Amino acid sequence: MPEDRLTPVTVIGLGSMGTALAEAFIKAGHRTTVWNRTTTKAAPLVAMGAEHAASVEDAVAASPLVIACLTTYDDTREALEPATAALGGRALVTLNSGSPAGARQMAAWAVGYGARFLDGAIKNVPSAVGAPDTLLYYGGDRTVFDEFESTLKVLGGDTVHLGDDADLAALYEMAVGGTLLPALVGFFQGAAAVQARGLAASTLVPFTAKWLEMINSVLPIFAQEIDSGDYSKPMSSVNLFVAGITYDEELGQEANIDVAWQAPLHELLRRAVAAGHGEHSISALVEVLKQPERMA
Amino acid sequence: MPEDRLTPVTVIGLGSMGTALAEAFIKAGHRTTVWNRTTTKAAPLVAMGAEHAASVEDAVAASPLVIACLTTYDDTREALEPATAALGGRALVTLNSGSPAGARQMAAWAVGYGARFLDGAIKNVPSAVGAPDTLLYYGGDRTVFDEFESTLKVLGGDTVHLGDDADLAALYEMAVGGTLLPALVGFFQGAAAVQARGLAASTLVPFTAKWLEMINSVLPIFAQEIDSGDYSKPMSSVNLFVAGITYDEELGQEANIDVAWQAPLHELLRRAVAAGHGEHSISALVEVLKQPERMA
């Protein structure tokens, strides 16, 4: 039975993530209203105790806190369009991927209909929703976060408000996510190299895992250098990385694999040296990234 | 006092890492002979109980196990040149950075003088030498590893023999190390993006740390896909990453930072799609990396 003292919640959009969110609220005892364009998605949640709203407008009207978990901001506005009259005074929280510009546009739309707005991101998979160390971060109206913080923490114990700007979660999503593809391609390249010697890619996993842990352990030092702008006491200098360029090239020749994707990384190193950062910390690359090369 | 039952060890090259190695052997009770071109480096170790050899030949002759920790293979051969007559029957272990080809050349040189040869790498900083979870891996003569394994474990509890080829440690060094620069540049780009909004780079650290842990948790799955060649049950598809390309580009515009270094990563994604891997796991990028594009 839902407990009356807990905030009623509406979840709109019942994909795998939206379903996980609704389940977490139901299990935590919140009166949970769900809505999805395809109504069959709601049945298992109703069996667990959710209310299934007859319309998206009813769904929005049912709870002070409305969480939309659709694919894009455009999808979200489209789904909520019939419910704009009910948005006044509601706290609307969006949890989808998108750009900072998209989040700002979404916020303006919601506030225009009298809603208070928060945009967030779930830094984990649906099965991790509700776990004590699952990270969610939000940007936007601080009063929404403060008022509903304990309810939002049902979705993950590591719940953070980044700031009042509605686009901060989208900004951090891009800032954090930018390590994924390059780190993976680095791993895949290594896998191709050991496979070229008849060894299993799996032999590389424990070593790469320790290596990524090592990288994690030095990020606070790099962040401090970047925040202070003092790169003069390097743990690892730009020149040290420049010296490593030949190894990247040799790996390609050894294993006949494509290492050309690293060329612009090497070019960044060379630009850093040219800018006087050779004996500075590798974190001085930030200064080079901040100064895009103009098209000739 | 050195214990007689422990293997006497010689350490050649007393930079910060070589010094850490010698200290670990001395503390563990091994009779430890040291040699360095600049003799002043030996004094603190002698104060701890090390023997200081008068010549590199005496140093090599002093112990059945000789560990060389110089900067390159060339440096190592140059330092050992006066000691070649003493190398016969010794186990020579090199711990320096270099290419697989360099390791093979080093092995041929050592074996030519009658030494048994092992080449290794220390996957950590000097202050971590001797810790139970410090990783060192070796490639080369298995009998050397088996005979001296307990002595080598003095340097780090996580000590692994990769295989009989003398260049395997150098190969794994390159294979593992290939994630470092791209992952760091990904982090630096994110730092520049949050700084462009007046936020501290340090705010990004806990989120990136969780993200790298998440990446670590999925590497075994990707390795299994790569080893089996079955990319058909994707956790994250190539197409999903293709859809993310626009976010990388928007980040550059939002924060006025240089994201051009990611262009060849995006090109790899497009080549994977063109090769029919769109709905396959992102780990299928290995297949693209294995087929370097020929110059037009």
Side-chain angles (χ1 to χ4, degrees):
Chain A
M1 280 302 267
E3 296 178 39
D4 283 346
R5 64 186 172 80
L6 295 176
T7 303
V9 181
T10 289
V11 177
I12 290 171
L14 302 174
S16 57
M17 187 57 90
T19 298
L21 303 179
E23 283 177 3
F25 287 125
I26 296 164
K27 284 179 192 161
H30 288 261
R31 180 165 174 253
T32 306
T33 302
V34 297
W35 186 84
N36 194 68
R37 192 175 298 276
T38 315
T39 54
T40 50
K41 295 278 188 73
L45 294 167
V46 170
M48 288 178 71
E51 316 267 334
H52 183 208
S55 71
V56 66
E57 184 161 16
D58 288 353
V60 170
S63 312
L65 178 63
V66 177
I67 294 180
C69 187
L70 293 116
T71 307
T72 67
Y73 295 114
D74 286 345
D75 295 336
T76 306
R77 279 193 300 276
E78 194 186 323
L80 290 175
E81 200 63 60
T84 50
L87 277 174
R90 305 285 146 189
L92 176 64
V93 177
T94 50
L95 290 169
N96 54 258
S97 55
S99 67
R104 292 191 292 267
Q105 194 183 1
M106 182 74 221
W109 182 91
V111 170
Y113 287 108
R116 291 185 295 153
F117 183 73
L118 204 57
D119 176 68
I122 307 164
K123 300 301 297 167
N124 220 314
V125 292
S127 62
V129 168
D133 70 334
T134 292
L135 170 65
L136 295 96
Y137 44 58
Y138 297 91
D141 193 331
R142 175 94 216 181
T143 69
V144 174
F145 186 82
D146 289 345
E147 186 177 338
F148 297 110
E149 184 173 357
S150 62
T151 304
L152 294 173
K153 282 199 165 160
V154 167
L155 305 179
D158 189 3
T159 288
V160 178
H161 187 255
L162 296 166
D164 288 323
D165 292 340
D167 59 355
L168 284 176
L171 181 76
Y172 274 75
E173 276 297 273
M174 296 197 308
V176 172
T179 51
L180 179 61
L181 181 60
L184 287 181
V185 172
F187 173 72
F188 296 152
Q189 169 188 280
V194 301
Q195 275 201 335
R197 286 291 290 274
L199 295 151
S202 61
T203 63
L204 202 60
V205 171
F207 306 142
T208 302
K210 279 213 173 184
W211 192 236
L212 291 182
E213 285 167 22
M214 185 284 294
I215 295 174
N216 253 349
S217 73
V218 296
L219 293 183
I221 299 163
F222 289 142
Q224 196 181 21
E225 291 170 346
I226 293 164
D227 286 331
S228 70
D230 181 0
Y231 305 104
S232 66
K233 291 178 263 322
M235 187 169 49
S236 301
S237 69
V238 172
N239 282 340
L240 196 71
F241 278 82
V242 169
I245 291 175
T246 55
Y247 297 129
D248 293 334
E249 287 159 359
E250 289 198 54
L251 182 70
Q253 289 162 14
E254 273 285 318
N256 192 33
I257 53 178
D258 190 346
V259 295
W261 63 278
Q262 299 197 39
L265 295 170
H266 300 161
E267 186 53 32
L268 286 175
L269 294 175
R270 294 190 185 101
R271 279 169 55 196
V273 171
H277 292 301
E279 284 304 315
H280 286 166
S281 170
I282 187 67
S283 63
L285 285 185
V286 163
E287 303 300 327
V288 179
L289 291 167
K290 282 182 193 168
Q291 296 170 330
E293 283 203 317
R294 300 292 161 213
M295 296 295 168
Chain B
M1 282 302 266
E3 296 179 40
D4 283 346
R5 63 188 172 77
L6 295 176
T7 303
V9 182
T10 289
V11 177
I12 290 171
L14 301 174
S16 56
M17 188 57 90
T19 297
L21 304 179
E23 283 178 4
F25 286 125
I26 295 164
K27 285 180 192 161
H30 288 261
R31 181 166 173 252
T32 307
T33 301
V34 297
W35 185 84
N36 194 68
R37 194 176 296 277
T38 314
T39 54
T40 51
K41 293 278 187 74
L45 295 167
V46 170
M48 288 177 71
E51 315 267 334
H52 183 209
S55 70
V56 66
E57 185 160 15
D58 287 354
V60 169
S63 312
L65 178 62
V66 177
I67 296 181
C69 186
L70 292 117
T71 307
T72 66
Y73 296 114
D74 287 344
D75 295 337
T76 306
R77 278 194 300 277
E78 194 187 322
L80 291 175
E81 200 62 61
T84 49
L87 277 174
R90 306 284 146 190
L92 175 64
V93 178
T94 50
L95 290 169
N96 54 256
S97 56
S99 67
R104 291 192 294 268
Q105 194 183 359
M106 182 74 223
W109 182 92
V111 170
Y113 287 107
R116 293 186 293 154
F117 182 74
L118 205 57
D119 177 67
I122 307 164
K123 300 300 298 164
N124 219 315
V125 292
S127 61
V129 169
D133 70 335
T134 292
L135 169 65
L136 295 96
Y137 43 58
Y138 296 90
D141 193 333
R142 174 95 214 180
T143 69
V144 175
F145 186 83
D146 288 346
E147 185 177 338
F148 297 109
E149 184 173 357
S150 62
T151 303
L152 294 173
K153 282 200 167 160
V154 167
L155 305 179
D158 190 3
T159 287
V160 179
H161 187 256
L162 295 166
D164 287 324
D165 292 339
D167 59 354
L168 284 176
L171 181 77
Y172 274 75
E173 275 298 274
M174 296 195 310
V176 172
T179 51
L180 178 60
L181 181 60
L184 287 182
V185 172
F187 173 71
F188 295 152
Q189 169 187 279
V194 300
Q195 275 201 335
R197 286 291 290 273
L199 295 151
S202 61
T203 63
L204 202 60
V205 170
F207 306 143
T208 302
K210 279 213 172 182
W211 193 234
L212 291 182
E213 284 167 23
M214 185 283 293
I215 294 174
N216 253 348
S217 73
V218 296
L219 293 183
I221 300 163
F222 289 142
Q224 197 181 21
E225 291 170 346
I226 294 164
D227 285 330
S228 70
D230 180 0
Y231 305 103
S232 67
K233 292 178 260 329
M235 187 171 47
S236 299
S237 70
V238 172
N239 282 339
L240 196 71
F241 278 81
V242 170
I245 291 175
T246 54
Y247 297 130
D248 292 334
E249 288 159 359
E250 289 200 55
L251 182 70
Q253 288 162 13
E254 272 285 317
N256 193 34
I257 53 178
D258 191 346
V259 295
W261 63 278
Q262 299 198 39
L265 295 170
H266 300 160
E267 186 54 32
L268 285 174
L269 293 174
R270 293 191 185 99
R271 278 167 57 195
V273 171
H277 292 302
E279 284 304 315
H280 287 166
S281 169
I282 187 68
S283 64
L285 284 185
V286 163
E287 304 300 327
V288 179
L289 290 167
K290 282 183 194 166
Q291 297 170 328
E293 282 204 317
R294 300 292 160 214
M295 296 295 166

